[in-house]
Structure formats: structure tokens, C-alpha cells
Amino acid sequence: MGMNTQGRPTRMAATIAADNMATGGYADTISGSRGLDQAEPLIFERGGLDRCGVDLPEPKGSATRLGGLERKAEIGLPGLAEPETMRHYVRLSRKNYAIDLGLYPLGSCTMKHNPRLNEKMARLPGFADVHPLQPVATVQGAYQLMGELAHWLMTLTNMPAVAMSPKAGAHGEFCGMMAIRAKLDADGETGRRRVLVPESAHGTNPATAVQCGFTVDEIPADKTGRVDMEAFKAKLGDDVAGIMLTNPNTCGLFERDIREIADLIHEAGGYFYCDGANFNAIVGRVRPGDLGVDAMHINLHKTFSTPHGGGGPGSGPTVLSEALAPHAPVPYVVQTEKGGWDLVENMDDAEGDPFGRMAAFHGQMGMFTRALTYMMSHGSDGLRQVAEDAVLNANYIQARLKHVMTTAYDGTCMHEALFDDRFLKDTGVTTLDFAKAMIDEGYHPMTMYFPLVVHGAMLIEPTETESMSGLDRFIEVLEALALAAKAGDKDRFLAAPVHAPTTRLDETRAARQPVLRWTPPVETVEAAE
Amino acid sequence: MRYLPHTDTDRKAMLDAIGVASIDDLFTDVPEAARLDGLIDLPTRQTELQVERTLSAMASRNIAASHAPFFVGAGAYKHHVPATVDHLIQRSEFLTAYTPYQPEISQGTLQTLFEFQTQVALLTGMDVANASMYDGSTACAEAVMMAARVTRRNKAVMAGSVHPHYVEASRTLAKYSDVEITVTDAAPADLDAVIAEIDDTTSCVVIQTPDIFGRLHDLREVSRIAHEKGALVIAVFTEAVSLGLVEAPGHMGADIAVGEGQSIGVGLNFGGPYVGLFACKDDRRFIRQMPGRLAGETVDADGRRGFVLTLSTREQHIRRDKATSNICTNSGLCALAWTIHMTLLGEKGLTTLARLNHETACELADALSGVPGVEIVNETFFNEFTLLLSRPAADVVDDLAKVGVLGGVPASRLYPGRFENYLIVAATETNTPEDIAVFAKALAGVL
């Protein structure tokens, strides 16, 4: 182990923190830095309880009306001055990969360019600095924006209604399945509690179905990676509430029999929930309403480019069919006869029979602004091009790599290309090793081991915002890695990554001995006593 | 289209490489009846300048909080957010990253989440926290479900003075589970009504402090009784800044603390995105039953400290239909904003900020109590309290808006058909003495 990679032993954190707490100072940059990749301690190891990065006026110390509930003990929250705070988080930011740094081919996650116009519009004070409970007359523009976005979503999907309040994709699934449940209950269909879910579905689908009081019955995939129609038909019955299907599905394929699936589930008395995670593959070219869908959430960040921010926020407006629309949750905006906007906030004021309220307030307004900005920037012509280029890019990758990597299924794919690990057979290299080696080549790896129906799955989604020359470079890198693995250059993979801010992290240890927060080192406690 | 890099020449070359004649050949799996030939009936593309004009016009139809004397709260609060916060969260590497599935190149996000978890745990007086939820209301709903899993009981008791939206969100999530939610009357809604509902089947009691009317509650007695009966105590807060001044729920016996983090680092945003805080005691039963994501510490192959997402066996992508919740995302960027703002404040700044909020609210209460037709309902409060007016509050608020004052939330907006003359008003460090004087004068004018 050379000097530069030696890094700070973890137990040293305690010593550094003890010094900090004792001196009120902060630790200097510590060993573990490599060139511009600077090791960064936790704020708890560098801040102090009397340090502060904001200027506030001195309180007057006047009488309180806290009823004797004033806090007695220290909280233990360290502060940093503004320059230190800036440096701390800028340094941390440099340890992240991001779409602005390069291709981020996470299949089914859809990482595309995030235009800064979206950010600028979301920060207009008229959108960012308004309160959800302001008088309705003072936020007409905000309701108008929600109404406009709803119009775009309904038109793009050819669906008659949309619930705007779901706060993320999985929350949108919950919305759709709750609407189905409410409709079944309203019709006295209390025996319908079984939901069909393909094996390749996102884990959120079965989890959501259970949350809505359904049981899950899995449908296997056929050899083309699509719903096995015979198995599906065999599962239909008068206890079926519906099907939760992703289309294009998580194998990156369009479900060719989608219309038949919709017809059969409807004939059987159930409803069709479509997981809209992959809507970017068909936007402007196919309207889910024309496929027989009853409910579908739309992840605004995937199709309409709201940035994902390292894990969120999301936003999952859910379009609903005529049958389910009356059960949409509150609150929702309506246009008044005079052309203004109003808000229906209470179940009793709703025209239909809402299944409830999903969260406080109206939804992810900041995401709505970004999504509408993106839609208007593209227009109907640009959005159609989005789907076409997304599909073109995925098929280009598939076509150019299938001679060195193994594709899971034959034929054209939609917006993502699915490979498996057969090309790594007998090389001693796993999908995980392959992914980590991609990091050393400067790329974020693809989605690994998903969908579960494919062994060692590698799901690559380039999205529509990647250029041909960029894709060519990526293809060359993967080609070279595949050839290296086959040539027996195993060490290159097993040691990877060596050019990342950390080497391979021990995830098993994290789960077996969970350390979920910083705690004051023992030395400090002793010193204080 | 400026966001799409291909030229038609590129597209042709790529189609050739794929071996198809046209883009339509890649959509042949779509049933013919569902293929659209023409464009969908929506406007075509606009330039950056055109979009800016349209959206700016829409935005200008709203009265922004900073452009009026502003006293609206009830679950979302206007605070000053340092410029540093927005600058840092707009760093490309934070803003445009995905969920940290590859920890070696996501340490920025992961270390920040670890800091966030620690700060939330400290602030609430709890042992551990998760890496954020959608918002306070959904965090509350998830806590109710978690309590049922932990205690294997199904009766949840919610105080009527918990934010009604939180109660409704909890009812919705619990609707088709075994969990039955009992809500006590909101008035007088003291803790006695909650205590009276606790029995051997009670999984949890849910109490908000400061509550929707702004009143502070001592949780110690209710915690003692709940624990005697084997029930958990879930403490809710909608104003995170209050914890800089008042006793933390964890120090008053709460087992789970949930709340809205919007006040710190996150703007009003017309209701979202916000950041849900979720913390609990260090009990093995609890941590395995927590919803949402967790960042944990570990080491890399060279023995250096690093962070990863952990305990994912609770989550939907592994446990599928047996998962603790269906949640797949979190409020990562809002959690980052929260953590940066909290780091800038530190203990010293948070304490000062909290005290400023409280003192401003005391000044507001003093100013309004002199207005004829106004009675201050609260004996205790942090930065929000309730007025009893001589006429319906909804009308008063509309009349105030006409003279440019955003004067609070009518309680009847949250409790339809009830509390008609009650007005919930909030003050923060952003309110000036002039704002308060304008509000008092305007209120006197419309009563």
C-alpha cells in the first residue's frame, strides 16, 4: 500500500474529533487526499458548537411563552463559518459522479441532461416563494401552472384526468392502485383482491399493491422477455383486481400484446395499472390511453428532466381513466367559469368520491415548474423527437456491442439495452466487477442485476441527450473491457475501482454492523467529565 | 431542438449501423392501432426567451411571500435561507446525480446523508434517523405504520390537534391495512383525551408539538402512560426551527419523531418539494422496521472510511411485497439543503434563530391582542398561534389579501365546517416591526 492510497485509518477520526472538541478548532486536511481528491472529515469532526456561518441579530432576551418547555441540554450540533461550509460541501460534491460530468447509463432510471432554464424558472419568486395555504386569489398563476401541466400530461397520454399530488413515482403507483381499490369497493367488487405483477416489475409494484390491501400474483416472462400470455390468461379470474405492468418493460422491450392484455384484464373485471417509469421511450409517439391503460404515474424527472438531486425529490402525477377519475385524491385544481382557478381541498367538496389525501398540500410544485418548462421548450415536435432519439441511441448501443457482449433478448429494444453476463462466463469477472471497472474508465456503470429475470443483468439506458460521438466513445470502452475480460485480464476488474475517490466499499460490513450516525468519540466524553 | 445533439446525418448513420431503414422500424413492436403518425395537439417548441416570458407572466400573477407582510404558516414557514445553500445545491455534482447506487463515485451524496441523519437525530433527541422522506405528512403516515409493525398492534391514536393534512395522509396510507386510526377531538384537544384512548391494543399515540394551533405540549406524562401500556409515542412537528428552543421529543419520552424539515434550507415552493424528517430510538426492532433509505459508515478495500446505502433488505427492491414501505426515492437534494443550512447555523445559530422567531411571535401577539375583536387563544406557543376573531376568519383573510397582507390560515380551511372564527398566524425572523404594525392596522380595519 503506497503512501498516496494509504488513507486515514477510521479510528483516527476519534482522535481528530477529540482535538476539535477540545480546541474548538478544526482538523487540517488529513492523509487520504490524492491530488485534487481531498479527504474530507465529517462536519462533526471539524465544527464547533460556538461556530456559526450566519449573521443574525441578537435576541432581546425578552420573556417567553414556552410554558416551561424550554430546552435544557445542548443539542450537540456543530457549526462552520461560511467559507468552511462552502469548502466542505464543494469538496464533497467533487466525490460525486453526475450527468453533467458524463454519461450516466442507469437503465430504468433515465438520467438525461437537466437544462438550467428549468432551474431558473422554478426559482421565480412567484413559484418558489408562495405558500400552499395562501388565499386562492393570490396564487392564481401557480394554479394556472398546475392546470397547464395537467393539460400537457392528459394530452400526451390521452387520459381524461390526472392527480397531481403524488410526491414520487412510488407514491404515484400508490395513487393509481388506491383509485382502483376505491373503484372496486364502490362497485361492490369486494372479492377482487389479487393483483397480477410480472416478474420483471420494479420492486415498488408489489410493495404498492400490498399497501393497498391486495395480494400479489407474479406472471412469468416468456422467452422474448415479455409477459407470458398463456400464464397471464391462466391467472385471470373473478378475484383479479388488475394488473401492474411496465411498458416499455424493464427488459427494455415494448409489450407487443399490450392491447390484448388490456382487453383481457377489462373483460375479467380488473383494471390496468401501467408503470410509467419508461414513458420517455414513447412520449409523442404512443399515448397510453390508446393502449387501454386505466392508471399510470409519470416520473417527471425521467421523462421531463427534473434533476434527481442524488436521490430525490421526485414527482409522480398519475393519469386516470374515466372509470377511476372520480376517485382521484384531494386536493386538485379546477378552472372556474370566469376563467380563474380554484382548489378543491376537502373530500366533501369533491364532485366524485376521492379515496383520500396523499400528503399535505398540492404536490411537488418545484418539479411541476421544471417539467412544464421542459415540455414547452420541446413542444409536441421536440417531445416526439425525444422518444425517437432515446430509442435510436439504445438500439445503436445494442447493435454495436452485441458482438462482444451478450444481449438478453433478440430484436429491437426501446430506450434501454439489456445485456446479461454470459459473455463473462469462465472469465472470473462478475457483472459487479465489470461495473466497477467502468468507473476506472470514467463512466458511471449501468443498472446491475436488474431486472431480476436475467442472470447478471446489465441494463444500459443512454437517453436522448447523448451525442453519437459520445456514444461511440462509450461503446469503445465497453468493447475494450469485454475483450480484456475475455483475454483473462481479471485483476484489472477485481481491483477496480482504483481511480475513484474510494476503492471498493464493504457493503456487507455496513449492513452487519450498522453505523448510521456519527457519535462523539469516547475520548471526548472522558475529557469532558 | 437544443437539448438533442443529433444531426439528421448522425441519425442516418446510426440507423445504418443498426441495420434498419427508418426510425419507424424501431417501433414495430407497438401495435399499429396505437402508433401516432402526426403530432400531438400541443404547442410546438419554443425558444428559451419565449418560455421565460410565458412562465414569468404566470409567476407574476402570484403574490410572493417576500412581497407582502406575510403571516401564513400551518405546516410551511417562510424563513430566510442563506445564499450559500442554493448555490451549493446547484453544484452540478449534487444537483444532477442519481441515487448513490455506486458508492465509490457517490461519496458526496452519501457523506452528506450521513451528516443529515446525525443532525436530525441530534435535533430530535433521537438515536438514529433515515435519509429523509417526501415530507412531514408522509413521514407521519409511515411512522404510524411502523409502530403497528413494531408493536404488532393495530390501534393508532392521533391527537385532533395534529395537522389535519397529516391525519388525512395517515388515514389514506392505513386505509387498507389492519391499522385503525382513532382521532381525538381537536377542541379542547389536550392530552387527556389522548391518554383516555390508550389501552392494551394501542400501537401508538401521535401528538404534534407545537400543534396545529401553535400550542406546545409536554409529552412526559403521556409517554409514561403509553409505555406502561406497551404503546409507542410518535411526536410530530411541522416547524423544525422550534427544536432550537423547546425540549426535543426524544427527551420527553417519544419513541419516534417525525416532522417537516422545510423550515431549514428549503423554500415555500407552494407545498413541495419538502423534506420529511424521521428519527427513532436505537432499538433493533425499530431500525429494521424503518421506512426509507439509510446511509451507513463502512470502509473501503484500503481500510479508509466511506459511506454506502445500507440495510436495504428492508426495502422494496429486495423484499418486494414484504418491504417495510414501497418508498423508492427520498428528498435527497432537499436533505442536502437542510444539512448545509443547519451546518451554517450550528447550535449557536439555530438557538439564536429560534429565539428570534419566538420573540417576533411574542411581539406579534402583543400587537394583535390590542386589536378590537381579537382574542389570542394560546397560552403557549413557539412562532405560531391562534386568534379568535369577531367574524369568520376565511372572510378576514380574503379582505386582508385585498389590502396586500397575507394574514394567516383560517382554521376552517383545515377543519371544514369548524372553527370558523379562528385564524392561525405565524411569525418568523423575516417579519419586521413594520410588517407587524401593518398587519395589526389592517386587521383592525377589516374586523
Side-chain angles (χ1 to χ4, degrees), chain A residues 120-131 134 139 142, chain B residues 55-56 58-60 62-67 268-270:
Chain A
K120 188 177 177 187
M121 294 301 96
R123 284 172 172 79
L124 290 171
F127 298 133
D129 193 28
V130 285
H131 191 289
Q134 270 180 233
V139 279
Chain B
L55 282 164
S56 299
M58 239 183 260
S60 68
N62 304 321
I63 299 179
S66 302
H67 298 162
L268 287 170
N269 288 317
F270 202 50

Side-chain angles (χ1 to χ4, degrees), chain A residues 136-355:
Chain A
V136 169
T138 68
V139 279
Q140 284 293 301
Y143 290 130
Q144 184 192 353
L145 184 132
M146 290 175 68
E148 293 267 336
L149 179 64
H151 173 71
W152 279 75
L153 293 172
M154 289 187 290
T155 309
L156 288 169
T157 56
N158 194 27
M159 300 284 279
V162 58
M164 300 292 282
S165 60
K167 290 190 161 283
H171 211 216
E173 285 177 33
F174 181 59
C175 177
M177 293 310 286
M178 285 295 280
I180 289 172
R181 176 74 195 240
K183 173 65 178 163
L184 289 171
D185 288 356
D187 291 346
E189 293 276 8
T190 52
R192 294 188 181 275
R193 293 292 176 261
R194 191 159 53 93
V195 173
L196 309 181
V197 184
E199 280 178 313
S200 64
H202 293 131
T204 48
N205 292 171
T208 300
V210 167
Q211 235 169 21
C212 297
F214 296 115
T215 57
V216 174
D217 192 355
E218 294 207 336
I219 318 172
D222 67 12
K223 60 181 189 307
T224 75
R226 298 176 175 85
V227 167
D228 183 322
M229 288 301 285
E230 293 314 308
F232 165 64
K233 286 176 194 164
K235 286 180 185 293
L236 292 171
D238 57 12
D239 63 337
V240 167
I243 185 169
M244 293 184 87
L245 188 73
T246 307
N247 196 27
N249 70 21
T250 53
C251 297
L253 306 169
F254 198 90
E255 294 282 354
R256 290 183 199 124
D257 300 318
I258 188 81
R259 293 280 297 257
E260 193 185 354
I261 291 170
D263 290 344
L264 287 171
I265 200 80
H266 289 150
E267 276 166 32
Y271 293 90
F272 176 9
Y273 185 87
C274 185
D275 182 314
N278 298 332
F279 187 48
N280 66 316
I282 56 172
V283 62
R285 278 198 71 113
V286 180
R287 299 181 302 181
D290 298 340
L291 301 173
V293 167
D294 292 296
M296 181 177 99
H297 76 268
I298 299 165
N299 304 71
L300 293 184
H301 69 277
K302 295 190 181 189
T303 305
F304 304 110
S305 84
T306 69
H308 203 56
S315 181
T318 303
V319 288
L320 299 168
S321 63
E322 211 70 69
L324 301 183
H327 303 288
V330 290
Y332 55 87
V333 294
V334 289
Q335 202 152 16
T336 62
E337 283 173 11
K338 290 176 189 162
W341 297 88
D342 205 357
L343 185 72
V344 176
E345 284 184 289
N346 305 309
M347 308 268 279
D348 292 344
D349 299 336
E351 268 191 38
D353 182 17
F355 67 75

Side-chain angles (χ1 to χ4, degrees), chain A residues 53 65 70 76 100 129 311 506, chain B residues 66 92 298 329 344 347 355 366:
Chain A
R65 301 187 203 179
E70 198 157 354
D100 283 355
D129 193 28
D506 188 345
Chain B
S66 302
S92 282
T298 188
T329 189
L344 284 165
E347 178 123 5
R355 190 156 283 286
D366 290 343

